[in-house]
Amino acid sequence: MSNEAKASVVRAARQGRVLVVTIANPPVNALGVAVRQGLLAAVEQAEADAAVQAVLIVGEGKAFIAGADIREFGQPAQPPSLPEVCNRIEACGKTVVAAIHGPALGGGLEVAMAAHYRVALPAAKLGLPEVNLGLLPGAGGTQRAPRLMGVRAAAGLMLSGQHLGAHAAFDAGLVDRVAQGADPVAAGLQYAEELLAANAPVRRTRDLAIADKAAALAELDALALETAKKTRGLFSPGKIVECVRAAVELPFDEGLARERALFVQCLESPQRQGLIHAFFAERETAKIPEAKAAAPRPFAAIAVIGGGTMGAGITVSALDAGLQVTMIERDAESIARGQKNVEKVYDGLIAKGRMTPEAKAATMARYTPSTSYDDIAHVDLVIEAVFEDIEVKKAVFKELDRVCKPGAVLATNTSYLDIDAIAAVTGRPQDVIGLHFFSPANIMKLLEIVVPAKVSADVVATAFELAKRMKKVPVRAGVCDGFIGNRILAVYKQAADYIMEDGASPYEIDEAVRGFGYPMGPFQVTDLAGGDIGWATRKRRAATRDPKARYVEVADRICERGWFGQKTGRGFYLYANGARTGMPDPEVLAIVQAERAKKGVTPRKFTPEEIMRRYMAAMINEGAKVVEEGIALRPLDVDVTFLSGYGFPRHRGGPMKHADMVGLPQVLADLREFAQEDPLFWKPAPLLEKLVAEGRNFDSLNKTA
Ligand code: 3HC
Ligand code: NAI
């Protein structure tokens, strides 16, 4: 970077006796090397200029400082380091004030804590969210926060990654004053002048004492145990507690050194790579060709067709996004049930004290129930969520084509069906798109936006805008059986079935998958969702199944007994007396054994590692096919799908990132090894073979997209 560019990201200009240091590094004033250099230079300038009596640090644009520049992690370090910059700010002989009007996160809050005084404006957001990236505050935050706000509150802030508003930060002791308005320069100058007028001393956070160290250490003992239990398998939370302990036990500079050592350990951990990949990937998925090509159509009123599980959840999501919703059902009884499904969600919130009855009434005022399609002639966008049956859906879309105004976006929430075929029954296929929500739709973040052949770019852009309004994580998908997520899911569930028939119990498989970091294993998920759903799909597909493909019948045997999982008290597990946690069932093991015997399989042992190698190889291989066919735009879209919709452990970054970390040659070698037993199922995706041959990884495709 040229000197001029370096100079422009941090500007220092004297206003009277205060040197105003403005960080101008859009979009969020991250602390890249140029900003660090600029800050250091500004402090030196202040020291050298006799006319300067105080320094004011502010951020330009929306943020104070959003933290270290995350893109620099994993790159060679470039001096000055952020701890050095913070120490220099703190050591400044002239009073340093930070005025915070927006996000002051991670390194941003660390800069503010190194200043001598802090003022927050109403839109300020203060936090130490490094834990979400597999890190800990590494620029003195773990040592300064406990001195300002106390051990427990500081540890809580760092472990939760939560943001505090201006008043909460003031109550916690993180800031000295809350000012009104939105202009940090005005508020900061006023504060600085008051401090100078009052002869307020330079006050360094490092010099503050931690009260009652014995009690603090006892609290930290308890917190260490609690953290280990709650953040199972995560690396940085435990290190955060260690740093806070150092703040209590060690002199400041030794504490800083300890923090640095542990920060470097976190930085070098694969979890940091996975979590930072997830952070950027989630922001990349909205960058699609259609968004560049077209602007979204405006929308305010929408219709939801069907008030069942999904229709009700989608309605809640839309209402929460401030939209007007008309719900259409088949008859009076069904619409009454649909409305009840919606109200149940809000009543649940009221019962938990998270919503007032007045707020519910205000929200429901934007909801209109109806059994007549003629009532949706005015809406801008429709989301269909009726039964998963192509004929029913086609009939609905014919009705929509008849009543909807020109330019209305017509979306289907189908899980598997051919959206091109649904679009073809209308006279306006350019307006038809897939919006695949996940259950429960008002909670799950993922929204697969399925792009059929004839849809126009502005409809795709509208769908992404809707996702943003609903605070969903959108992923663009192409039309195929199951789109990105369910298509890949079908394949790795098949792998799980094969592993089961070959010798591992469903309980061993679930345990291995949980050990990898998933909240649940595949058989637990089947029991939770209801085994009957998959059974119906298998029966529907029986006629078209490749007769050469291996087919495991265990799940069918279980369903034939009426064991559909939690809702019937029995599935792969036993749920005695409505229990939500299942117990292993010897009768299920007997069924598995009988199926093995029928197929002549001699069961063998699988270690958890062997189970996961197969499970992941199946997932990655299908992921590669999905990318190769253009169903997913990039590998990162597959990653985000699984992180947001399928419980994939975030610290591993997603299946494709995981593959890169394991190494694609290893994944390919695994597939080739398994293919010796079943060449059809384990046939390596050509894309994977090509990448290995070229010495590339999946991430190289993210970059070229
Ligand atoms: N470094 C580099 N880029 C960053 C960044 C950071 N710290 N924070 C945000 N960005 C980028 C985003 O990638 C995005 O880029 P794009 O436009 O090219 O996609 C752009 O800034 C805008 O970000 P968002 O889309 O997230 O904008 P929002 O307005 O929704 O949110 C925010 C703003 C609340 C600041 C949010 O971006 C955020 O939470 N950022 C991360 C904060 C964080 O984790 N800080 C700690 C960093 S680690 C650290 O400081 C270590 C230190 O202790 C040593
Ligand atoms: P559901 O059976 O709970 O609800 C369907 C609703 O549609 C019923 O209330 C029914 O009365 C209504 N309906 C049927 N025909 C209608 C018509 N012609 N006009 C108006 N309403 C009509 O089903 P669910 O689970 O909500 O699924 C709906 C759609 O969402 C399906 O396409 C399904 O594949 C998809 N989906 C389901 C998920 C799930 O986990 N349940 C997840 C993602 C998508």
Side-chain angles (χ1 to χ4, degrees):
M1 200 178 269
S2 71
N3 277 338
E4 206 179 309
K6 272 180 202 166
S8 66
V9 296
V10 179
R11 298 191 308 267
R14 200 160 52 74
Q15 294 206 21
R17 50 188 177 167
V18 180
L19 185 71
V20 179
V21 179
T22 305
I23 300 165
N25 187 27
V28 292
N29 296 332
L31 292 155
V33 61
V35 175
R36 299 197 300 276
Q37 287 171 346
L39 277 172
L40 214 49
V43 177
E44 298 306 343
Q45 184 183 335
E47 298 275 28
D49 186 345
V52 170
Q53 292 179 28
V55 179
L56 169 63
I57 303 178
V58 294
E60 193 169 81
K62 276 196 195 153
F64 173 67
I65 303 170
D69 187 337
I70 302 172
R71 288 175 208 275
E72 283 185 0
F73 295 138
Q75 311 290 331
Q78 297 185 71
S81 72
L82 191 55
E84 203 180 320
V85 173
C86 289
N87 289 343
R88 184 65 191 94
I89 291 171
E90 188 173 56
C92 184
K94 302 184 179 173
T95 302
V96 183
V97 174
I100 302 164
H101 72 295
L105 302 175
L109 182 53
E110 291 176 297
V111 166
M113 290 192 293
H116 305 145
Y117 295 90
R118 285 156 292 281
V119 51
L121 283 77
K125 267 202 270 188
L126 294 87
L128 293 167
E130 286 89 342
V131 70
N132 296 330
L133 305 174
L135 292 169
L136 51 84
T142 66
Q143 307 302 296
R144 292 191 177 94
R147 286 173 162 80
L148 285 169
M149 59 195 303
V151 164
R152 170 160 279 279
L157 192 69
M158 291 183 249
L159 289 171
S160 67
Q162 227 177 16
H163 302 168
L164 300 179
H167 287 284
F170 176 79
D171 292 342
L174 261 187
V175 300
D176 304 290
R177 128 171 338 189
V178 177
Q180 291 314 308
D183 179 0
V185 177
L189 278 176
Q190 186 181 346
Y191 190 32
E193 287 296 345
E194 281 177 37
L195 289 166
L196 291 175
N199 268 330
V202 163
R203 188 190 58 177
R204 299 192 170 95
T205 307
R206 65 160 59 216
D207 296 332
L208 302 177
I210 291 181
D212 199 355
K213 292 192 174 181
L217 288 174
E219 278 199 68
L220 284 172
D221 284 341
L223 193 62
L225 287 176
E226 190 187 310
T227 302
K229 220 162 88 191
K230 270 211 316 229
T231 62
R232 196 177 55 100
L234 291 183
F235 184 73
S236 78
K239 303 294 160 200
I240 287 174
V241 180
E242 275 186 54
C243 285
V244 179
R245 175 178 294 282
V248 180
E249 287 180 334
L250 302 177
F252 186 80
D253 287 316
E254 286 177 39
L256 274 189
R258 183 93 191 103
E259 175 194 88
R260 196 68 202 157
L262 294 175
F263 179 79
V264 170
Q265 282 185 20
C266 292
L267 200 58
E268 286 169 356
S269 75
Q271 295 191 356
R272 186 275 300 165
Q273 277 190 54
L275 287 164
I276 286 184
H277 173 76
F279 176 88
F280 285 119
E282 279 173 355
R283 284 161 176 78
E284 285 302 301
T285 58
K287 295 176 189 161
I288 50 152
E290 291 87 352
K292 285 186 204 126
R297 296 181 186 173
F299 57 90
I302 77 160
V304 175
I305 317 298
T309 311
M310 295 308 288
I314 294 166
T315 298
V316 170
S317 239
L319 290 172
D320 289 350
L323 299 168
Q324 302 274 351
V325 185
T326 304
M327 179 189 274
I328 300 284
E329 260 288 356
R330 292 179 289 174
D331 47 42
E333 195 184 317
S334 309
I335 191 65
R337 200 181 49 235
Q339 174 159 351
K340 226 170 164 184
N341 288 342
V342 172
E343 293 202 36
K344 212 159 58 191
V345 175
Y346 293 125
D347 291 339
L349 293 177
I350 292 173
K352 286 187 198 135
R354 283 165 49 197
M355 187 182 218
T356 61
E358 294 74 32
K360 176 190 163 188
T363 303
M364 289 305 289
R366 285 185 278 105
Y367 167 87
T368 310
S370 170
T371 53
S372 166
Y373 281 89
D374 295 325
D375 288 343
I376 59 169
H378 67 289
V379 303
D380 308 304
L381 188 150
V382 182
I383 305 171
E384 165 278 313
V386 302
F387 300 135
E388 184 75 345
D389 177 313
I390 189 88
E391 294 312 322
V392 177
K393 295 213 191 267
K394 282 183 179 172
V396 168
F397 273 77
K398 279 185 191 149
E399 280 295 278
L400 297 178
D401 196 21
R402 180 179 69 79
V403 299
C404 289
K405 67 182 184 190
V409 172
L410 309 182
T412 171
N413 180 48
T414 180
S415 307
Y416 293 95
L417 300 175
D418 181 353
I419 303 177
D420 288 310
I422 294 172
V425 304
T426 71
R428 40 174 124 175
Q430 74 280 1
D431 296 334
V432 178
I433 193 163
L435 285 177
H436 185 215
F437 289 84
F438 287 70
S439 180
N442 53 313
I443 294 180
M444 292 293 287
K445 286 280 168 232
L446 180 61
L447 178 59
E448 271 182 306
I449 295 177
V450 191
V451 179
K454 294 200 174 145
V455 69
S456 69
D458 61 346
V459 169
V460 182
T462 311
F464 274 81
E465 183 61 27
L466 177 74
K468 197 165 150 194
R469 292 271 292 275
M470 288 183 164
K471 298 198 172 75
K472 299 288 181 202
V473 177
V475 174
R476 185 190 186 284
V479 175
C480 69
D481 193 351
F483 317 130
I484 298 177
N486 284 348
R487 169 170 161 179
I488 297 173
L489 167 75
V491 174
Y492 66 78
K493 276 199 73 179
Q494 227 172 320
D497 281 348
Y498 296 164
I499 300 166
M500 173 171 65
E501 197 169 65
D502 286 340
S505 77
Y507 316 119
E508 287 170 324
I509 296 168
D510 279 350
E511 196 179 336
V513 170
R514 285 195 305 271
F516 184 80
Y518 273 92
M520 276 191 221
F523 298 100
Q524 288 175 291
V525 173
T526 299
D527 274 5
L528 181 68
D532 47 332
I533 297 176
W535 194 30
T537 311
R538 292 195 297 279
K539 283 193 278 199
R540 199 172 58 232
R541 293 188 181 152
T544 53
R545 201 163 33 234
D546 182 347
K548 292 196 293 294
R550 180 177 173 187
Y551 182 71
V552 175
E553 294 170 51
V554 173
D556 295 347
R557 294 294 91 78
I558 289 177
C559 287
E560 283 158 12
R561 289 166 168 77
W563 301 350
F564 296 148
Q566 284 194 21
K567 63 184 172 192
T568 58
R570 198 164 189 179
F572 279 93
Y573 291 80
L574 270 173
Y575 302 86
N577 307 321
R580 299 187 66 179
T581 315
M583 299 295 291
D585 185 346
E587 285 186 55
V588 167
L589 293 176
I591 293 171
V592 174
Q593 194 52 48
E595 287 298 314
R596 287 176 189 149
K598 200 172 83 188
K599 302 254 183 87
V601 175
T602 312
R604 58 186 148 112
K605 277 233 132 319
F606 285 89
T607 64
E609 291 70 32
E610 284 167 335
I611 292 172
M612 288 319 296
R613 261 175 66 206
R614 282 168 192 258
Y615 198 73
M616 288 312 305
M619 197 183 301
I620 294 161
N621 202 35
E622 194 65 15
K625 291 180 193 168
V626 158
V627 171
E628 190 165 20
E629 291 170 26
I631 298 298
L633 276 184
R634 299 148 294 197
L636 67 83
D637 295 278
V638 176
D639 285 337
V640 173
T641 300
F642 282 86
L643 293 172
S644 309
Y646 294 81
F648 193 94
R650 192 173 169 88
H651 66 268
R652 295 188 190 269
M656 311 315 264
K657 177 67 183 177
H658 176 72
D660 278 354
M661 290 207 275
V662 169
L664 298 195
Q666 181 61 53
V667 177
L668 184 59
D670 284 349
L671 285 164
R672 286 183 174 150
E673 181 191 324
F674 307 149
Q676 289 174 6
E677 297 162 21
D678 183 346
L680 187 62
F681 182 76
W682 293 107
K683 188 177 176 337
L687 175 65
L688 185 58
E689 290 179 317
K690 179 168 173 269
L691 289 173
V692 171
E694 292 171 358
R696 294 166 64 193
N697 62 9
F698 284 126
D699 199 39
S700 66
L701 300 174
N702 291 331
K703 297 205 171 81
T704 53

